[in-house]
Amino acid sequence: MIFNREMETLPREDMEALQLKRLQQSVRHVYENVPFYREKFAEEGLTPEDIQSLDDLKKLPFTVKKDLRNNYPFGLFAVDQSKVVRLHASSGTSGKPTVVGYTRNDIDNWAEIVARAIAAAGGKPGEVLHNAYGYGLFTGGLGLHYGSEKLGMATVPVSGGNTERQIMLIEDFKPTVICGTPSYILNIVETMEKMGKNPQESSLKYGIFGAEPWSMEMRHELENRLGIKAVDIYGLSEVIGPGVAIECAEAQDGLHIQEDHFLVEVIDPETLENVPDGVEGELVFTSLTKEAMPVIRYRTGDVASITHEPCVCGRTTVRMSRVKGRIDDMLIIRGINVFPSEIENVLLQIEELEPHYQLVLTRKGPLDDVQLNVEIDRDVFYALGGDLNHDKIKTIARDIKRQLKNQCFIAIEVNILAPGAIPRSEGKAVRIIDKRKAASV
Ligand code: DLL
């Protein structure tokens, strides 16, 4: 099923012409309606007339999460409050949440973007979509919901949690598509297995997973255990929510950016210069059609690269690599940079483990220390009589350490736990427990 394929297959010159026109409109819109942007442009001596080509985007200043917090709650809105029909917010780790607003047109555009994304992932009108993303201030639930309805799918707004009931609904409503964070979907699969059901026998054919980093190995695990094809969906509330980019089911090789609505850049987070295709850096987005809360050169903090290479699916849009993680979540272990998703990739290659893990950061004197907590596979655990001191467990721990050394070049303490010891997620998984601050006060 192809949903409004026109925008996804525009020749490059046409796409760039459309982007330039929309960029000029967006820049004018924020300049005229948001004092924050007008002041920032004035500091650089810029006016909307300075944007004559897509390359001129580089002249504009960046926007960061702190700018949203400093203008809490509605200071970055570019329309009168009477035009705003929806608010979402994401809870930060500290202080006030970041708030985003949508006009009626924004909601319609977002629904269209997500409908395209679901279609690219394999969803078809007339079929059923089980939406296990959280409903509420988080954009996942309602974002997928409106897109699924727009595509013409019967949408089950189940949200996260109450896992056994979800399993009953999957059996009875026979959805072909399931959406949720990969960690919560894994939780559903595990619960099905514990209930003595075979997840592969469900009606599900496609998965649309995202909102958190997940490794290729996690994709294989979910695809095999559920008997589905799983694609990665990316987005962030500041830019719109889910749907900014989506993998196609045909290639599962990079996420197509919905370029008629979002302009992407990748920058070196140190020098703030743009980096070439294929080079990893920080993703930066400029919205091209948003009315209520446009963003100009928003620094996402997410690490990925982009490519202009054509995709086998026929879409002509720029693709981004899977997001490795957030710059803030990158661990520096004795000088080596590593993202939790890279550690996950290694763990999932080791058969005796369950794909549940957490990294505990502590401070030992002046140095940061990391301990990896990971669960042993249920069958292995019972075969060893539930003895975590068994020699076999020590061998597995040594194997994990060796693999982490070989593949991620890090040496960390490994702690193998009983099945179920790590809290299960109903939304975004907590992979890092940072005890460093507590230790230093
Ligand atoms: O997570 C929007 C979303 C909902 C995306 C459902 C996909 C599916 P926020 O809560 O604002 O919005 O969090 C955005 O989550 O900056 C990334 O760090 C991370 N993230 C989102 N999608 C992915 C992904 C939603 N596919 C933040 N892979 C982003 C890795 C992701 N990280």
Side-chain angles (χ1 to χ4, degrees):
M1 160 70 196
I2 291 157
F3 185 83
N4 194 356
R5 186 111 201 207
E6 191 196 339
M7 286 298 157
E8 296 176 300
T9 53
L10 278 187
R12 186 96 312 249
E13 313 85 76
D14 296 355
M15 176 59 86
E16 290 185 357
L18 178 72
Q19 288 182 319
L20 176 60
K21 194 174 106 217
R22 291 183 168 178
L23 174 66
Q24 288 170 327
Q25 283 164 355
S26 292
V27 169
R28 183 166 300 283
H29 181 45
V30 297
Y31 187 77
E32 287 171 358
N33 297 297
V34 188
F36 164 82
Y37 283 110
R38 198 166 40 248
E39 283 157 25
K40 274 186 57 169
F41 290 5
E43 278 167 26
E44 309 285 327
L46 292 169
T47 65
E49 283 66 45
D50 290 306
I51 305 301
Q52 295 301 329
S53 70
L54 285 181
D55 213 40
D56 288 338
L57 178 67
K58 296 196 189 85
K59 296 178 181 167
L60 297 174
F62 292 103
T63 313
V64 293
K65 205 177 189 89
K66 206 165 109 221
D67 296 325
L68 272 76
R69 294 230 170 87
N70 290 346
N71 289 282
Y72 175 87
F74 306 143
L76 293 187
F77 285 14
V79 295
D80 187 78
Q81 219 178 307
S82 62
K83 299 272 187 317
V84 175
V85 301
R86 174 95 66 83
L87 296 167
H88 279 285
S90 59
S91 52
T93 39
S94 61
K96 299 278 192 195
T98 45
V99 179
V100 292
Y102 304 77
T103 63
R104 163 78 41 222
N105 278 339
D106 292 336
I107 295 286
D108 289 348
N109 280 334
W110 189 17
E112 157 93 20
I113 288 164
V114 176
R116 276 190 215 164
I118 298 172
K124 295 174 190 63
E127 296 186 351
V128 179
L129 180 142
H130 182 97
N131 188 11
Y133 282 115
Y135 279 64
L137 287 174
F138 173 54
T139 50
L142 286 171
L144 265 295
H145 184 100
Y146 275 58
S148 170
E149 286 189 351
K150 177 93 179 178
L151 181 60
M153 299 194 73
T155 309
V156 189
V158 62
S159 197
N162 208 341
T163 307
E164 294 198 359
R165 191 182 56 160
Q166 303 231 3
I167 292 167
M168 181 190 79
L169 296 179
I170 292 170
E171 278 179 350
D172 295 346
F173 294 177
K174 310 223 173 326
T176 50
V177 180
I178 185 163
C179 309
T181 58
S183 56
Y184 183 55
I185 301 299
L186 181 66
N187 186 345
I188 295 181
V189 172
E190 213 177 46
T191 310
M192 281 178 173
E193 288 167 350
K194 258 196 240 151
M195 290 164 77
K197 298 178 190 293
N198 181 357
Q200 290 183 338
E201 284 170 4
S202 83
S203 55
L204 294 169
K205 290 191 200 144
Y206 299 104
I208 304 180
F209 307 149
E212 64 185 8
W214 53 307
S215 61
M216 284 301 261
E217 286 298 327
M218 179 69 99
R219 189 210 307 263
H220 296 144
E221 179 88 17
L222 289 169
E223 286 191 325
N224 293 338
R225 279 166 82 172
L226 260 178
I228 59 166
K229 193 168 242 198
V231 302
D232 193 1
I233 186 167
Y234 170 81
L236 61 165
S237 46
E238 297 90 316
V239 174
I240 204 160
V244 172
I246 181 84
E247 268 179 332
C248 57
E250 291 97 320
Q252 292 178 297
D253 182 20
L255 292 82
H256 292 272
I257 294 168
Q258 310 244 23
E259 282 191 278
D260 49 331
H261 294 279
F262 313 105
L263 204 48
V264 66
E265 297 172 83
V266 182
I267 61 163
D268 177 324
E270 299 293 326
T271 64
L272 305 184
E273 296 294 326
N274 288 67
V275 299
D277 275 20
V279 175
E280 265 177 11
E282 179 177 358
L283 289 169
V284 172
F285 286 99
T286 298
S287 67
L288 296 175
T289 54
K290 271 173 75 192
E291 294 178 342
M293 214 199 86
V295 281
I296 304 291
R297 301 195 87 193
Y298 184 73
R299 290 183 61 182
T300 62
D302 294 326
V303 177
S305 62
I306 56 169
T307 174
H308 284 72
E309 290 291 312
C311 179
V312 293
C313 73
R315 286 179 184 79
T316 52
T317 40
V318 168
R319 281 173 293 153
M320 56 181 250
S321 63
R322 295 163 73 80
V323 170
K324 241 187 188 174
R326 297 187 57 76
I327 295 169
D328 311 343
D329 287 343
M330 189 180 76
L331 305 171
I332 306 176
I333 303 174
R334 286 175 201 100
I336 306 288
N337 300 352
V338 65
F339 285 96
S341 62
E342 294 172 291
I343 294 178
E344 175 182 296
N345 222 25
V346 171
L347 295 181
L348 284 171
Q349 292 165 28
I350 301 173
E351 260 182 32
E352 293 93 343
L353 299 179
E354 287 288 338
H356 298 285
Y357 67 96
Q358 276 180 334
L359 293 153
V360 184
L361 310 187
T362 48
R363 180 151 289 158
K364 266 192 191 160
L367 286 179
D368 285 346
D369 203 55
V370 185
Q371 180 186 298
L372 169 70
N373 288 342
V374 61
E375 280 180 21
I376 188 82
D377 174 85
R378 193 166 291 273
D379 293 339
V380 176
F381 183 67
Y382 290 125
L384 300 178
D387 177 11
L388 287 173
N389 292 318
H390 198 284
D391 279 350
K392 171 84 179 154
I393 298 276
K394 290 180 190 138
T395 312
I396 297 168
R398 271 200 299 275
D399 188 31
I400 301 171
K401 277 188 170 179
R402 203 184 56 239
Q403 299 290 351
L404 286 172
K405 185 101 208 160
N406 288 345
Q407 296 186 43
C408 301
F409 314 108
I410 51 168
I412 57 179
E413 233 8 84
V414 173
N415 192 15
I416 296 188
L417 305 175
I422 291 176
R424 298 298 186 251
S425 119
E426 291 187 353
K428 298 188 190 227
V430 178
R431 300 292 191 206
I432 297 182
I433 311 278
D434 194 344
K435 296 188 172 167
R436 287 172 305 180
K437 284 205 189 84
S440 60
V441 272

